[in-house]
Amino acid sequence: MNRNVCQQFFLQPSGIEQRRYEVLRAVFVDDDKTIDVAERFQLSHGTVRNWVSQFGTRLERGEHPPFSTDIAKRKSD
């Protein structure tokens, strides 16, 4: 198994939902600065700040983020 190829799956995600997940994980779990995360994922700083804000707002309302709705639905079935 090529570890580098596997690592790139996480460091350079291609799908928008996975990108959003990895960005939010970097901000909330790894405690990286939004400006650094934006640069790493080649996004504007405003986009990262918006994703962070939207994520927090959804969780405060008791809603699931878009990338976890399928998981939450499966757990309730």
Side-chain angles (χ1 to χ4, degrees):
M1 172 178 17
N2 184 332
R3 182 173 168 78
N4 191 24
V5 170
C6 295
Q7 187 179 45
Q8 292 310 305
F9 175 82
F10 296 100
L11 296 177
Q12 296 177 344
S14 58
I16 189 68
E17 294 304 326
Q18 183 190 359
R19 286 184 81 190
R20 186 177 296 214
Y21 173 87
E22 296 295 346
V23 163
L24 293 170
R25 187 183 190 296
V27 171
F28 289 107
V29 176
D30 298 336
D31 204 26
D32 293 343
K33 294 181 181 178
T34 55
I35 191 81
D36 297 333
V37 173
E39 185 176 321
R40 182 180 336 144
F41 288 95
Q42 299 176 341
L43 297 165
S44 73
H45 187 225
T47 296
V48 172
R49 287 190 333 225
N50 285 340
W51 287 358
V52 167
S53 176
Q54 291 167 357
F55 179 77
T57 299
R58 287 186 80 132
L59 288 182
E60 287 174 355
R61 289 184 194 153
E63 299 172 8
H64 294 283
F67 46 77
S68 69
T69 54
D70 289 341
I71 295 168
K73 185 189 278 186
R74 277 186 262 143
K75 286 183 178 178
S76 67
D77 290 343

Coordinates of all heavy atoms in Angstrom, one line a residue:
M1 N 0.8 -1.2 0.0 CA 0.0 0.0 0.0 C 0.9 1.2 0.0 O 1.8 1.3 0.8 CB -0.9 0.0 1.2 CG -1.7 1.2 1.4 SD -2.8 1.4 2.8 CE -2.4 0.1 3.9
N2 N 0.6 2.2 -0.8 CA 1.3 3.4 -0.9 C 0.7 4.4 0.1 O -0.3 5.0 -0.2 CB 1.2 4.0 -2.4 CG 2.1 5.2 -2.6 OD1 2.3 6.0 -1.6 ND2 2.5 5.4 -3.8
R3 N 1.4 4.6 1.1 CA 1.0 5.5 2.2 C 0.8 7.0 1.7 O -0.2 7.6 2.1 CB 2.0 5.5 3.4 CG 1.6 6.4 4.5 CD 2.5 6.2 5.7 NE 2.4 7.1 6.7 CZ 1.4 7.1 7.6 NH1 0.5 6.2 7.6 NH2 1.3 8.1 8.6
N4 N 1.6 7.4 0.8 CA 1.5 8.8 0.3 C 0.2 9.0 -0.4 O -0.4 10.0 -0.3 CB 2.7 9.1 -0.6 CG 2.8 10.5 -0.9 OD1 2.3 11.4 -0.2 ND2 3.5 10.8 -2.0
V5 N -0.2 8.0 -1.3 CA -1.4 8.1 -2.0 C -2.6 8.1 -1.0 O -3.5 9.0 -1.2 CB -1.6 6.9 -3.0 CG1 -3.0 6.9 -3.6 CG2 -0.5 7.0 -4.1
C6 N -2.6 7.3 0.0 CA -3.6 7.3 1.0 C -3.7 8.6 1.8 O -4.7 9.2 2.0 CB -3.4 6.1 2.0 SG -3.6 4.5 1.2
Q7 N -2.5 9.1 2.1 CA -2.4 10.4 2.8 C -3.0 11.5 2.0 O -3.7 12.4 2.5 CB -1.0 10.7 3.2 CG -0.8 11.9 4.1 CD 0.7 12.1 4.4 OE1 1.5 12.0 3.5 NE2 1.0 12.3 5.6
Q8 N -2.8 11.5 0.7 CA -3.3 12.6 -0.2 C -4.8 12.6 -0.2 O -5.4 13.6 -0.4 CB -2.7 12.5 -1.6 CG -1.2 12.8 -1.6 CD -0.8 14.1 -0.9 OE1 -1.4 15.1 -1.2 NE2 0.1 14.0 0.0
F9 N -5.4 11.4 0.0 CA -6.9 11.4 0.0 C -7.4 12.3 1.1 O -8.5 13.0 0.9 CB -7.3 9.9 0.3 CG -8.8 9.8 0.5 CD1 -9.7 9.7 -0.6 CD2 -9.4 9.8 1.7 CE1 -11.0 9.6 -0.5 CE2 -10.8 9.6 1.9 CZ -11.6 9.5 0.8
F10 N -6.8 12.4 2.2 CA -7.2 13.3 3.3 C -6.7 14.7 3.2 O -7.4 15.7 3.5 CB -6.8 12.7 4.7 CG -7.4 11.4 4.9 CD1 -6.7 10.2 4.7 CD2 -8.7 11.3 5.4 CE1 -7.3 9.0 5.0 CE2 -9.3 10.1 5.6 CZ -8.6 8.9 5.4
L11 N -5.5 14.9 2.7 CA -4.9 16.2 2.6 C -5.3 17.0 1.4 O -5.3 18.2 1.5 CB -3.3 16.0 2.6 CG -2.7 15.4 3.8 CD1 -1.2 15.3 3.7 CD2 -3.0 16.3 5.1
Q12 N -5.7 16.3 0.4 CA -6.2 17.0 -0.8 C -7.5 16.4 -1.3 O -7.6 15.8 -2.4 CB -5.1 17.0 -1.9 CG -3.9 17.7 -1.5 CD -2.8 17.6 -2.6 OE1 -2.9 16.7 -3.5 NE2 -1.8 18.4 -2.5
P13 N -8.6 16.5 -0.5 CA -9.8 15.8 -0.9 C -10.4 16.5 -2.2 O -10.3 17.7 -2.4 CB -10.7 16.1 0.3 CG -10.1 17.3 1.0 CD -8.7 17.2 0.7
S14 N -11.1 15.7 -3.0 CA -11.6 16.2 -4.3 C -13.1 16.6 -4.2 O -13.5 17.5 -4.8 CB -11.3 15.2 -5.4 OG -12.0 14.0 -5.1
G15 N -13.8 15.8 -3.4 CA -15.3 16.1 -3.3 C -15.5 17.2 -2.3 O -14.8 17.4 -1.3
I16 N -16.5 18.1 -2.6 CA -16.8 19.2 -1.8 C -17.2 18.9 -0.4 O -16.7 19.5 0.6 CB -17.9 20.2 -2.4 CG1 -18.0 21.5 -1.7 CG2 -19.2 19.5 -2.5 CD1 -16.8 22.4 -1.8
E17 N -18.0 17.8 -0.1 CA -18.3 17.5 1.2 C -17.2 17.0 2.0 O -17.0 17.3 3.2 CB -19.5 16.5 1.2 CG -20.8 17.0 0.7 CD -21.3 18.3 1.4 OE1 -21.1 18.4 2.6 OE2 -21.9 19.1 0.7
Q18 N -16.3 16.2 1.4 CA -15.1 15.8 2.1 C -14.2 16.9 2.4 O -13.6 17.0 3.4 CB -14.3 14.7 1.3 CG -13.2 14.2 2.1 CD -12.2 13.3 1.3 OE1 -12.5 13.0 0.1 NE2 -11.2 12.8 1.9
R19 N -14.0 17.9 1.4 CA -13.2 19.0 1.7 C -13.7 19.8 2.8 O -13.0 20.3 3.7 CB -13.2 20.0 0.4 CG -12.4 19.4 -0.7 CD -12.3 20.4 -1.8 NE -11.3 21.4 -1.5 CZ -11.1 22.5 -2.2 NH1 -11.9 22.8 -3.3 NH2 -10.2 23.3 -1.9
R20 N -15.1 20.0 2.9 CA -15.6 20.8 4.0 C -15.4 20.1 5.3 O -15.0 20.7 6.3 CB -17.1 20.9 3.8 CG -17.8 21.8 4.8 CD -19.3 22.0 4.5 NE -19.4 22.7 3.3 CZ -20.4 23.6 3.0 NH1 -21.3 23.8 4.0 NH2 -20.5 24.2 1.9
Y21 N -15.6 18.7 5.3 CA -15.3 18.0 6.5 C -13.8 18.1 7.0 O -13.6 18.4 8.2 CB -15.6 16.5 6.3 CG -15.2 15.6 7.5 CD1 -16.1 15.4 8.5 CD2 -13.9 15.0 7.5 CE1 -15.7 14.6 9.6 CE2 -13.5 14.2 8.6 CZ -14.4 14.0 9.6 OH -14.0 13.3 10.7
E22 N -12.9 18.0 6.1 CA -11.5 18.1 6.4 C -11.1 19.5 6.9 O -10.3 19.6 7.8 CB -10.6 17.6 5.2 CG -10.8 16.2 4.8 CD -10.3 15.2 5.8 OE1 -9.7 15.5 6.8 OE2 -10.7 14.0 5.6
V23 N -11.7 20.5 6.3 CA -11.5 21.9 6.7 C -12.0 22.1 8.1 O -11.3 22.6 9.0 CB -12.1 22.9 5.7 CG1 -12.3 24.2 6.3 CG2 -11.4 22.9 4.4
L24 N -13.2 21.6 8.4 CA -13.8 21.8 9.7 C -13.0 21.0 10.8 O -12.8 21.5 11.9 CB -15.2 21.5 9.7 CG -16.1 22.4 8.9 CD1 -17.5 21.8 8.8 CD2 -16.1 23.8 9.5
R25 N -12.6 19.8 10.4 CA -11.8 19.0 11.3 C -10.5 19.7 11.7 O -10.1 19.7 12.8 CB -11.5 17.6 10.7 CG -10.9 16.7 11.7 CD -10.5 15.3 11.1 NE -10.1 14.4 12.1 CZ -9.0 14.5 12.8 NH1 -8.2 15.5 12.7 NH2 -8.8 13.6 13.7
A26 N -9.8 20.3 10.7 CA -8.6 21.0 10.9 C -8.8 22.1 11.9 O -7.9 22.4 12.8 CB -8.0 21.4 9.6
V27 N -9.9 22.8 11.7 CA -10.2 24.0 12.6 C -10.5 23.6 14.0 O -10.0 24.1 15.0 CB -11.3 24.9 12.0 CG1 -11.7 26.0 13.0 CG2 -10.8 25.5 10.7
F28 N -11.5 22.6 14.1 CA -12.0 22.3 15.4 C -11.2 21.2 16.2 O -11.1 21.3 17.4 CB -13.5 21.9 15.3 CG -14.4 23.0 15.0 CD1 -14.9 23.2 13.7 CD2 -14.7 24.0 15.9 CE1 -15.7 24.2 13.4 CE2 -15.5 25.1 15.6 CZ -16.0 25.2 14.4
V29 N -10.7 20.3 15.5 CA -10.0 19.2 16.2 C -8.5 19.5 16.3 O -7.9 19.3 17.4 CB -10.2 17.8 15.4 CG1 -9.4 16.7 16.1 CG2 -11.7 17.5 15.5
D30 N -7.9 19.9 15.2 CA -6.5 20.2 15.2 C -6.1 21.6 15.7 O -5.0 21.9 15.9 CB -5.9 20.0 13.8 CG -6.0 18.5 13.3 OD1 -6.1 17.6 14.1 OD2 -6.0 18.3 12.0
D31 N -7.2 22.4 15.8 CA -7.1 23.8 16.3 C -6.2 24.6 15.4 O -5.4 25.5 15.9 CB -6.5 23.8 17.8 CG -6.9 25.1 18.5 OD1 -7.9 25.7 18.1 OD2 -6.2 25.4 19.5
D32 N -6.2 24.4 14.1 CA -5.5 25.2 13.2 C -6.2 26.5 12.9 O -7.4 26.6 13.0 CB -5.3 24.4 11.8 CG -4.4 23.2 11.9 OD1 -3.7 23.1 12.9 OD2 -4.5 22.3 11.0
K33 N -5.5 27.5 12.6 CA -6.0 28.8 12.3 C -6.7 28.8 10.9 O -6.2 28.1 10.0 CB -5.0 29.9 12.3 CG -4.3 30.1 13.6 CD -3.3 31.2 13.6 CE -2.7 31.3 15.0 NZ -1.6 32.3 15.0
T34 N -7.9 29.5 10.8 CA -8.6 29.4 9.6 C -7.8 29.9 8.4 O -8.0 29.4 7.3 CB -9.9 30.2 9.7 OG1 -9.6 31.6 10.1 CG2 -10.9 29.6 10.7
I35 N -7.0 30.9 8.6 CA -6.2 31.4 7.5 C -5.2 30.3 7.0 O -5.0 30.2 5.8 CB -5.4 32.7 7.9 CG1 -4.8 33.4 6.7 CG2 -4.4 32.4 8.9 CD1 -5.8 34.2 5.9
D36 N -4.6 29.5 7.9 CA -3.7 28.5 7.5 C -4.5 27.3 6.8 O -4.0 26.8 5.8 CB -3.0 27.9 8.7 CG -2.1 29.0 9.4 OD1 -1.6 29.9 8.7 OD2 -1.9 28.8 10.6
V37 N -5.7 27.0 7.3 CA -6.5 26.0 6.7 C -6.9 26.4 5.3 O -6.9 25.6 4.3 CB -7.7 25.7 7.6 CG1 -8.7 24.7 6.9 CG2 -7.3 25.1 8.9
A38 N -7.3 27.6 5.1 CA -7.7 28.1 3.8 C -6.5 28.0 2.8 O -6.8 27.5 1.7 CB -8.1 29.6 3.9
E39 N -5.4 28.3 3.2 CA -4.2 28.2 2.3 C -3.9 26.7 2.0 O -3.7 26.4 0.9 CB -3.0 28.8 3.0 CG -1.8 28.8 2.1 CD -0.6 29.5 2.8 OE1 -0.8 30.6 3.4 OE2 0.6 29.0 2.6
R40 N -4.0 25.9 3.0 CA -3.7 24.4 2.8 C -4.6 23.8 1.8 O -4.3 23.0 1.0 CB -3.7 23.7 4.1 CG -3.4 22.2 4.0 CD -3.4 21.4 5.3 NE -3.3 22.2 6.5 CZ -3.9 22.0 7.7 NH1 -4.7 21.0 7.8 NH2 -3.7 22.8 8.7
F41 N -5.9 24.2 1.9 CA -7.0 23.5 1.1 C -7.3 24.4 -0.2 O -8.2 24.1 -0.9 CB -8.2 23.2 1.9 CG -8.0 22.1 2.8 CD1 -7.7 22.3 4.2 CD2 -8.2 20.8 2.4 CE1 -7.5 21.3 5.1 CE2 -8.0 19.7 3.3 CZ -7.7 20.0 4.6
Q42 N -6.5 25.4 -0.4 CA -6.6 26.3 -1.5 C -8.1 26.9 -1.6 O -8.7 26.8 -2.7 CB -6.3 25.6 -2.8 CG -4.8 25.1 -2.8 CD -4.4 24.3 -4.0 OE1 -5.3 23.7 -4.7 NE2 -3.1 24.2 -4.3
L43 N -8.5 27.4 -0.5 CA -9.8 28.1 -0.4 C -9.6 29.5 0.0 O -8.6 29.8 0.6 CB -10.7 27.4 0.6 CG -11.1 25.9 0.3 CD1 -11.6 25.2 1.5 CD2 -12.1 25.9 -0.9
S44 N -10.6 30.3 -0.2 CA -10.5 31.7 0.3 C -10.7 31.7 1.8 O -11.4 30.8 2.4 CB -11.5 32.6 -0.3 OG -12.8 32.4 0.2
H45 N -10.1 32.6 2.5 CA -10.3 32.7 4.0 C -11.8 32.9 4.3 O -12.3 32.3 5.3 CB -9.4 33.8 4.5 CG -9.4 33.9 6.0 ND1 -9.5 35.0 6.7 CD2 -9.3 32.9 7.0 CE1 -9.5 34.8 8.0 NE2 -9.3 33.5 8.2
G46 N -12.5 33.7 3.5 CA -13.9 33.9 3.7 C -14.7 32.6 3.6 O -15.6 32.4 4.4
T47 N -14.4 31.8 2.7 CA -15.1 30.5 2.6 C -14.9 29.6 3.8 O -15.9 29.1 4.3 CB -14.6 29.7 1.3 OG1 -14.9 30.5 0.2 CG2 -15.2 28.3 1.2
V48 N -13.7 29.5 4.3 CA -13.4 28.8 5.5 C -14.2 29.4 6.7 O -14.8 28.6 7.5 CB -11.9 28.7 5.8 CG1 -11.7 28.0 7.1 CG2 -11.2 27.9 4.7
R49 N -14.1 30.7 6.8 CA -14.9 31.3 8.0 C -16.4 31.1 7.8 O -17.0 30.8 8.8 CB -14.6 32.8 8.0 CG -13.2 33.1 8.5 CD -13.0 34.6 8.7 NE -13.9 35.4 7.9 CZ -13.5 36.5 7.2 NH1 -12.3 36.9 7.3 NH2 -14.4 37.2 6.5
N50 N -16.9 31.1 6.6 CA -18.3 30.8 6.4 C -18.7 29.4 6.8 O -19.7 29.1 7.4 CB -18.8 31.1 5.0 CG -18.9 32.6 4.7 OD1 -19.0 33.4 5.6 ND2 -18.8 32.9 3.4
W51 N -17.9 28.4 6.4 CA -18.1 27.0 6.7 C -18.1 26.8 8.2 O -18.9 26.1 8.7 CB -17.1 26.1 6.0 CG -17.3 26.0 4.5 CD1 -18.3 26.5 3.8 CD2 -16.5 25.2 3.6 NE1 -18.1 26.1 2.5 CE2 -17.0 25.3 2.3 CE3 -15.3 24.5 3.8 CZ2 -16.5 24.7 1.2 CZ3 -14.8 23.9 2.7 CH2 -15.3 24.0 1.4
V52 N -17.1 27.5 8.9 CA -17.0 27.3 10.3 C -18.3 27.9 11.0 O -18.9 27.3 11.9 CB -15.7 28.0 10.9 CG1 -15.8 28.2 12.4 CG2 -14.5 27.3 10.4
S53 N -18.7 29.1 10.5 CA -19.9 29.7 11.1 C -21.2 28.9 10.9 O -22.0 28.7 11.8 CB -20.1 31.1 10.5 OG -21.2 31.7 10.9
Q54 N -21.3 28.4 9.6 CA -22.5 27.6 9.3 C -22.5 26.3 10.1 O -23.6 25.9 10.6 CB -22.5 27.3 7.8 CG -22.8 28.5 6.9 CD -22.5 28.2 5.5 OE1 -22.0 27.1 5.1 NE2 -22.7 29.2 4.6
F55 N -21.4 25.7 10.3 CA -21.3 24.5 11.0 C -21.7 24.7 12.5 O -22.5 24.0 13.0 CB -19.8 24.0 11.0 CG -19.6 22.7 11.8 CD1 -20.0 21.5 11.3 CD2 -19.0 22.7 13.0 CE1 -19.8 20.3 12.0 CE2 -18.7 21.6 13.7 CZ -19.1 20.3 13.2
G56 N -21.2 25.7 13.1 CA -21.5 26.1 14.5 C -23.0 26.4 14.6 O -23.7 25.9 15.6
T57 N -23.5 27.1 13.7 CA -25.0 27.5 13.7 C -25.8 26.3 13.6 O -26.8 26.1 14.4 CB -25.3 28.5 12.6 OG1 -24.5 29.7 12.8 CG2 -26.8 28.8 12.6
R58 N -25.5 25.4 12.7 CA -26.3 24.1 12.6 C -26.3 23.3 13.9 O -27.3 22.8 14.3 CB -25.8 23.3 11.4 CG -26.2 23.9 10.1 CD -25.8 23.0 9.0 NE -26.8 22.0 8.8 CZ -27.3 21.6 7.7 NH1 -27.0 22.1 6.6 NH2 -28.3 20.7 7.7
L59 N -25.1 23.1 14.4 CA -25.0 22.3 15.6 C -25.8 23.0 16.8 O -26.4 22.3 17.6 CB -23.5 22.1 16.0 CG -22.8 21.2 15.1 CD1 -21.3 21.0 15.6 CD2 -23.4 19.8 15.0
E60 N -25.7 24.3 16.9 CA -26.4 25.0 18.0 C -27.9 24.8 17.8 O -28.6 24.8 18.8 CB -26.0 26.5 18.0 CG -24.6 26.7 18.5 CD -24.2 28.1 18.4 OE1 -24.9 29.0 17.8 OE2 -23.1 28.5 18.9
R61 N -28.4 24.7 16.6 CA -29.8 24.5 16.4 C -30.2 23.0 16.5 O -31.4 22.6 16.4 CB -30.2 24.8 14.9 CG -30.2 26.3 14.7 CD -30.6 26.5 13.2 NE -30.3 27.9 12.8 CZ -30.1 28.2 11.6 NH1 -30.1 27.3 10.6 NH2 -29.8 29.5 11.3
G62 N -29.2 22.1 16.8 CA -29.5 20.7 16.9 C -29.6 20.0 15.6 O -30.1 18.9 15.5
E63 N -29.1 20.6 14.5 CA -29.2 20.0 13.2 C -27.8 19.3 12.9 O -26.8 19.7 13.5 CB -29.3 21.1 12.1 CG -30.6 21.9 12.2 CD -30.7 23.1 11.3 OE1 -29.8 23.2 10.4 OE2 -31.6 23.9 11.4
H64 N -27.9 18.3 12.0 CA -26.7 17.6 11.6 C -26.0 18.4 10.5 O -26.7 18.9 9.6 CB -27.0 16.2 11.2 CG -27.4 15.3 12.4 ND1 -26.6 14.8 13.3 CD2 -28.7 15.0 12.7 CE1 -27.3 14.2 14.2 NE2 -28.6 14.2 13.8
P65 N -24.7 18.4 10.4 CA -24.0 19.0 9.2 C -24.3 18.1 8.0 O -24.7 17.0 8.1 CB -22.5 18.9 9.6 CG -22.4 18.3 10.9 CD -23.8 17.9 11.4
P66 N -24.3 18.7 6.8 CA -24.6 18.0 5.6 C -23.9 16.7 5.4 O -24.5 15.7 4.9 CB -24.3 19.0 4.5 CG -24.0 20.3 5.1 CD -23.8 20.0 6.6
F67 N -22.6 16.6 5.8 CA -21.9 15.4 5.5 C -22.1 14.3 6.5 O -21.6 13.2 6.4 CB -20.4 15.7 5.5 CG -19.9 16.6 6.6 CD1 -19.7 16.1 7.9 CD2 -19.7 18.0 6.4 CE1 -19.3 16.9 8.9 CE2 -19.2 18.8 7.4 CZ -19.0 18.2 8.7
S68 N -23.0 14.6 7.5 CA -23.2 13.5 8.5 C -24.7 13.1 8.5 O -25.1 12.2 9.3 CB -22.8 13.9 9.9 OG -23.6 15.0 10.4
T69 N -25.5 13.6 7.7 CA -26.9 13.3 7.7 C -27.2 11.8 7.4 O -28.0 11.2 8.0 CB -27.8 14.2 6.8 OG1 -27.2 14.1 5.5 CG2 -27.8 15.6 7.2
D70 N -26.5 11.2 6.5 CA -26.6 9.8 6.1 C -26.3 9.0 7.3 O -26.9 8.0 7.6 CB -25.8 9.4 4.9 CG -26.4 10.0 3.6 OD1 -27.6 10.4 3.6 OD2 -25.6 10.1 2.7
I71 N -25.2 9.3 8.0 CA -24.7 8.5 9.2 C -25.8 8.6 10.3 O -26.2 7.6 10.9 CB -23.4 9.1 9.7 CG1 -22.3 8.8 8.6 CG2 -23.0 8.4 11.0 CD1 -21.0 9.5 8.9
A72 N -26.3 9.8 10.5 CA -27.3 10.0 11.6 C -28.6 9.2 11.2 O -29.2 8.6 12.1 CB -27.6 11.5 11.8
K73 N -29.0 9.2 10.0 CA -30.2 8.5 9.5 C -30.0 7.0 9.7 O -30.9 6.4 10.2 CB -30.5 8.9 8.1 CG -31.8 8.3 7.6 CD -31.9 8.4 6.1 CE -32.4 9.8 5.7 NZ -32.7 9.9 4.3
R74 N -28.8 6.5 9.4 CA -28.6 5.1 9.5 C -28.6 4.6 10.9 O -29.1 3.6 11.2 CB -27.2 4.7 8.9 CG -27.3 4.5 7.4 CD -26.0 4.0 6.8 NE -25.4 5.2 6.3 CZ -24.1 5.4 6.3 NH1 -23.3 4.5 6.8 NH2 -23.5 6.5 5.8
K75 N -28.1 5.5 11.8 CA -28.1 5.1 13.3 C -29.5 5.0 13.8 O -29.8 4.3 14.7 CB -27.3 6.1 14.1 CG -25.8 5.9 13.8 CD -25.0 6.9 14.7 CE -23.5 6.7 14.5 NZ -22.7 7.6 15.3
S76 N -30.4 5.8 13.3 CA -31.8 5.8 13.8 C -32.6 4.8 13.2 O -33.7 4.5 13.7 CB -32.4 7.2 13.6 OG -32.6 7.4 12.2
D77 N -32.2 4.1 12.1 CA -33.0 3.0 11.5 C -32.9 1.7 12.3 O -32.0 1.4 13.0 CB -32.5 2.8 10.1 CG -32.9 4.0 9.2 OD1 -33.8 4.8 9.6 OD2 -32.3 4.1 8.1

